[in-house]
Structures are given as structure tokens and as C-alpha cells.
Amino acid sequence: MEVRKAIMLLSSSAVIFSALVSIVILFQAALAFGMPWGEFAMGGKFPGKLPAPMRAACLVQIAVLAFLALIVLSKSEIILPGWLEFAAVGIWFVVGFSVLSSILNIMTRSVRERRIWAPVSVMMLITSFIVAIAV
């Protein structure tokens, strides 16, 4: 019974992480396509529509975030079983990324960014850590 609970916690954490990443990806895509939400990203340095280089950076962030989700889902054995060995190491990169993201989102000068993205990044940290320590 305890094994079943552990598997359920692992799977739930991976799904929650991936759902949160999906939300962030959608937000980044909206920014990349010109939505005027700059005050909610990148420290609020670019209120309104982001300049072209920052919009391109959003596309890079989308690729990175999607890759992180693939690692988490693979480590939890939901998809890509051939990646399991890679994911067992890569998950610690995801945790480190989530730590950095949480720190930056908590410290940002943009109150709006902090209110929205700090809880998301902290939840991504918690769920990625649960996946990382799961056996």
C-alpha cells in the first residue's frame, strides 16, 4: 500500500509540474507573439509589449521549459522510458533551475511578477524535488 501511495505522489507531482510548465509556456508564447504583459516578466523592465530580442528570448525559454517537463515526466516514468537513465541525472538540473527561478521570482522588483510567478516557481521547485527524490 505504501508503494502505491509513493507512486501516486510521484505521478501527481510530475503532472502538477508539467501543468505549471504548460501555463508558463503559454504565457511566454503570448509574450513572444506581442501580448503587452511585459510588466509580468523579466523583472518588469519592459512594460507593455516586449522588444524583439526579449520576444526571441521567450521562444528560447519555451524550448527550455518543454525540455524540463520532458525530464520530469520521464523520471516519473510517465513518458519516454528510454530517457530514464538520463532523467535520473537531469532531474537535478530541473531542481536547480527551479531553485534559481524561485529565488529570482521572489526577489524581483516587479510586484505583479512576484505575486503571480513566485508561487508558481516555488510549486515547480517542490514538485520537481519530490520527483527527484522518488525511488
Side-chain angles (χ1 to χ4, degrees), residues 44-101:
K45 282 176 115 174
F46 308 101
K49 189 174 172 180
L50 296 179
M54 294 298 103
R55 292 169 62 193
C58 290
L59 297 175
V60 172
Q61 290 178 36
I62 289 169
V64 170
L65 290 166
F67 186 63
L68 297 180
L70 289 175
I71 291 171
V72 169
L73 291 169
S74 178
K75 171 69 168 74
S76 62
E77 299 185 47
I78 294 175
I79 62 169
L80 301 171
W83 278 31
L84 190 55
E85 190 174 320
F86 166 75
V89 175
I91 190 66
W92 292 106
F93 173 78
V94 176
V95 171
F97 180 93
S98 298
V99 167
L100 181 60
S101 176

Side-chain angles (χ1 to χ4, degrees), residues 31 36-41 43-48 50 110-113:
L31 288 174
W37 299 336
E39 65 188 304
F40 295 98
K45 282 176 115 174
F46 308 101
L50 296 179
S110 170
V111 174
R112 289 182 174 185
E113 181 180 11

Side-chain angles (χ1 to χ4, degrees), residues 39-41 43-44 101-102 104-123:
E39 65 188 304
F40 295 98
S101 176
S102 295
L104 293 174
N105 280 302
I106 289 167
M107 291 177 47
T108 183
R109 291 182 178 177
S110 170
V111 174
R112 289 182 174 185
E113 181 180 11
R114 184 173 46 250
R115 284 184 183 158
I116 293 173
W117 300 118
V120 171
S121 60
V122 168
M123 196 64 185

